[in-house]
Amino acid sequence: MAEVAVECMSKMFGATRALDDVSIAFHAGEIHALLGQNGAGKSTLFKILAGVYEPDSGAIAAGAAHVVSGGLTPRQSHDLGLRFVHQDLALVDSMSVGENVCVQQFMTTGGGLRIRWRDQERVVRKLLDGLGVDVHPQTILGRLPQPEKAAVAIARALYSPDGRRPRLLVLDEPTAYLPVTERAQLFDTMRRAANLGTSVVFSTHRLDEVLEASERISILRDGRIVWSGQRAEIEDENDLITRILGQALERFYPDRTDMAEHEARLEVRGLRGPGVDGIDLDVRRGEIVGLTGLIGAGHDAVPYLLLGAIPAGGGGIQLDRQPIRRRDPCSMTRAGIGLLPADRTRDSGIASMSVRENLTMTSLGRFTRLGLIDRRREQATANEMIERFEVRPQHSREMPLGLLSGGNQQKLLLARSLMRQNLRCLILHEPTQGVDVRAKQTLLQQIAAAAKRGISVLIVSTDNEDLSHLCDRVLVMRHGRIRAELRRPDPGRIAEQCLASQ
């Protein structure tokens, strides 16, 4: 008997069919991967289970005794034992671990006037121990590394004052912000949760994780389940890609051109700032350089120090042999340096504005004459870029950016960066994070094409596979400094250097 089952579920958004007669079962104690391209229907299904969306038709069964036709309210979802851990975790760094775990339902006295702190701490400690998390409940959450924060989010989802086990635990892109070397801890936590009898469901675009962590796999395409079966039935990543896309994907990574003889375009000397202890790096014209490290190594701060979004504590920058005196985002942008941040929804795109407006907002001078915007020319350019970068749907020009899937948003925002006529150096922070395999291929091909046109590219990423296949050189940071420079290394070599001691 399935722990939770979705039966004949359908959902329309206007003329778009997000789910089309979907039936799927999640079994107790099993880790189940739900896969599909951006826009395949995964998030819609999760939101129906959480009570955020109401389906047009279908039913949800939680065990034999609970069958609900139509949708759930958030309260009904919670009462049925359905729990969710979202990509951003939704934790509060300033609160303790115990407070984060119990924030939705503190243990109180009979009158509800006082919190039973000791009893609550004992319950939280037992829950954390069961998940293999060696953290004291009174520890301030902000002091923890990201893998342990993710484990706390799972503990919060599993927590129940009455001790009842949740039926279903859904994790949406749980490793999006974790380096490859730090995902094993999260997988162990997921396995421990399943061993408690909970059905664990996770979605990800990192296919190596699916093969490593899952026992059952289901694939959505255009709102329909196109395949569901045991992990053992999948041969390798290529087999999984073919099942997701419905066809084989050839030549995933683009060819590289050797830029070793070209002159340095971006030269950084002695850069200092939060977590960065005086680094030097060069990027040649047309070269793609990778920068990576474990959580806390300092690499994540480098893009924002270079652009001036975070004030630097020292160091100098030259672009084409010319020193840059003012170090703020406007000055760096005028100098020809562009940045695509990791958090596209918070730091890059404006969800409520249209695709066209997001695409052209940094290049309006191209469409302006005598202070007036040539809308016809702007719209024609937007249509051209939407087609070139394979943004879907193709008629999305006037749609709000927030209605596009994550992969299509990322393609659009990369297109915006590359539209700038003065662009000489492009800095990309986790450019393929949270996007499906088809969108990822498009992004990598466009990045490689930009480098061939002479743009210098610095990619700050924890995806060792991408860095290995795309970059001419990879720089590895540890403890705030660059400790290794690798020329076209394999992914294992990058991971080895990330883990190496000083």
Side-chain angles (χ1 to χ4, degrees):
M1 178 68 186
E3 189 73 357
V4 176
V6 172
E7 302 170 357
C8 305
M9 192 69 71
S10 294
K11 176 66 175 176
M12 296 282 291
F13 292 101
T16 302
R17 185 175 293 277
L19 293 178
D20 186 4
D21 198 33
V22 168
S23 295
I24 186 170
F26 304 115
H27 299 276
E30 187 175 65
I31 298 180
H32 194 141
L34 184 63
L35 309 180
Q37 298 185 71
N38 291 120
K42 304 186 300 295
S43 294
T44 301
L45 179 59
F46 290 158
K47 288 177 180 177
I48 287 174
L49 289 171
V52 177
Y53 291 160
E54 183 177 352
D56 298 326
S57 61
I60 298 170
H66 304 281
V67 179
V68 180
S69 296
L72 302 170
T73 66
R75 171 56 64 184
Q76 287 175 320
S77 174
H78 188 274
D79 290 345
L80 287 174
L82 313 187
R83 302 290 188 270
F84 302 84
V85 176
H86 302 288
Q87 190 178 115
D88 64 0
L89 301 184
L91 299 171
V92 182
D93 279 349
S94 61
M95 295 172 63
S96 71
V97 168
E99 289 168 333
N100 271 281
V101 170
C102 304
V103 69
Q104 292 175 313
Q105 195 170 0
F106 286 105
M107 296 177 67
T108 61
T109 60
L113 299 178
R114 295 174 57 190
I115 296 173
R116 301 183 347 243
W117 292 108
R118 289 186 180 179
D119 292 342
Q120 183 170 286
E121 183 177 314
R122 185 177 63 255
V123 171
V124 171
R125 185 187 287 274
K126 182 179 179 180
L127 179 56
L128 293 172
D129 288 345
L131 293 174
V133 184
D134 186 18
V135 174
H136 195 282
Q138 293 182 10
T139 303
I140 298 302
L141 185 88
R143 298 174 183 170
L144 299 182
Q146 197 69 13
E148 292 185 348
K149 287 184 179 181
V152 171
I154 292 175
R156 181 186 60 190
L158 297 177
Y159 167 75
S160 178
D162 58 12
R164 288 190 302 170
R165 171 185 57 81
R167 297 176 182 274
L168 181 72
L169 174 64
V170 176
L171 300 101
D172 190 5
E173 292 284 345
T175 62
Y177 298 108
L178 294 182
V180 174
T181 50
E182 301 193 19
R183 296 175 200 164
Q185 181 178 340
L186 180 60
F187 293 154
D188 181 61
T189 305
M190 290 165 57
R191 168 44 50 203
R192 288 171 181 263
N195 289 342
L196 296 173
T198 296
S199 176
V200 178
V201 182
F202 77 105
S203 69
T204 181
H205 293 302
R206 290 171 161 166
L207 302 185
D208 57 326
E209 297 177 357
V210 175
L211 300 179
E212 177 182 350
S214 66
E215 297 161 284
R216 182 179 295 273
I217 299 170
S218 296
I219 297 172
L220 277 164
R221 189 190 313 136
D222 298 326
R224 297 183 68 89
I225 296 288
V226 295
W227 187 83
S228 187
Q230 296 292 326
R231 153 67 182 90
E233 299 177 53
I234 301 294
E235 294 181 12
D236 52 25
E237 282 192 39
N238 287 333
D239 182 17
L240 200 51
I241 289 171
T242 300
R243 292 175 190 268
I244 291 171
L245 298 179
Q247 60 184 28
L249 187 65
E250 300 179 359
R251 292 182 56 81
F252 185 81
Y253 287 101
D255 293 331
R256 292 181 295 192
T257 303
D258 194 338
M259 294 295 172
E261 302 303 319
H262 286 229
E263 69 279 5
R265 164 163 282 167
L266 177 69
E267 299 172 88
V268 180
R269 297 292 178 267
L271 182 67
R272 294 180 180 276
V276 178
D277 187 17
I279 66 168
D280 300 339
L281 65 86
D282 296 333
V283 185
R284 300 180 179 92
R285 182 173 60 84
E287 185 182 32
I288 303 176
V289 173
L291 183 67
T292 192
L294 300 181
I295 288 175
H299 59 290
D300 283 339
V302 171
Y304 309 98
L305 288 168
L306 289 176
L307 199 74
I310 297 176
I317 299 176
Q318 290 194 145
L319 196 62
D320 288 328
R321 306 293 185 184
Q322 299 298 313
I324 299 178
R325 305 297 183 190
R326 293 193 60 181
R327 298 270 288 281
D328 59 79
C330 288
S331 299
M332 300 301 280
T333 300
R334 283 194 294 268
I337 296 178
L339 169 65
L340 184 57
D343 193 331
R344 55 180 168 261
T345 56
R346 186 188 69 183
D347 299 329
S348 191
I350 301 177
S352 60
M353 294 179 66
S354 71
V355 166
R356 169 183 54 80
E357 290 168 324
N358 273 278
L359 185 59
T360 63
M361 64 171 58
T362 60
S363 302
L364 284 176
R366 294 176 55 178
F367 314 108
T368 304
R369 184 178 181 184
L370 300 177
L372 298 176
I373 297 175
D374 185 340
R375 291 297 184 194
R376 185 173 297 179
R377 187 179 172 197
E378 181 196 24
Q379 291 167 358
T381 301
N383 290 340
E384 178 189 341
M385 298 303 286
I386 287 169
E387 182 176 355
R388 183 191 305 177
F389 281 76
E390 300 179 10
V391 176
R392 298 292 182 267
Q394 284 190 312
H395 59 269
S396 62
R397 189 185 70 201
E398 301 304 325
M399 286 175 57
L401 179 70
L403 294 184
L404 267 60
S405 66
N408 283 301
Q409 288 183 29
Q410 190 73 343
K411 287 188 286 187
L412 183 93
L413 295 171
L414 177 64
R416 182 180 70 188
S417 296
L418 294 175
M419 277 178 59
R420 285 178 39 204
Q421 293 179 314
N422 73 330
L423 184 67
R424 291 186 281 174
C425 177
L426 181 59
I427 304 168
L428 304 168
H429 189 194
E430 299 290 2
T432 61
Q433 180 174 269
V435 304
D436 64 62
V437 64
R438 178 75 77 183
K440 184 173 181 177
Q441 183 188 43
T442 301
L443 290 166
L444 296 177
Q445 288 174 340
Q446 292 295 337
I447 291 167
K452 288 181 179 180
R453 296 195 300 271
I455 294 172
S456 301
V457 180
L458 176 65
I459 298 179
V460 182
S461 175
T462 54
D463 192 319
N464 294 344
E465 196 76 30
D466 284 359
L467 295 176
S468 172
H469 287 91
L470 193 64
C471 297
D472 302 288
R473 292 181 292 130
V474 177
L475 309 176
V476 179
M477 287 186 68
R478 298 193 299 272
H479 306 294
R481 296 187 177 184
I482 294 175
R483 304 291 183 175
E485 179 178 323
L486 311 174
R487 182 167 179 78
R488 297 192 175 181
D490 61 59
R493 178 65 174 154
I494 299 172
E496 177 185 306
Q497 284 298 315
C498 286
L499 291 166
S501 65
Q502 286 187 307

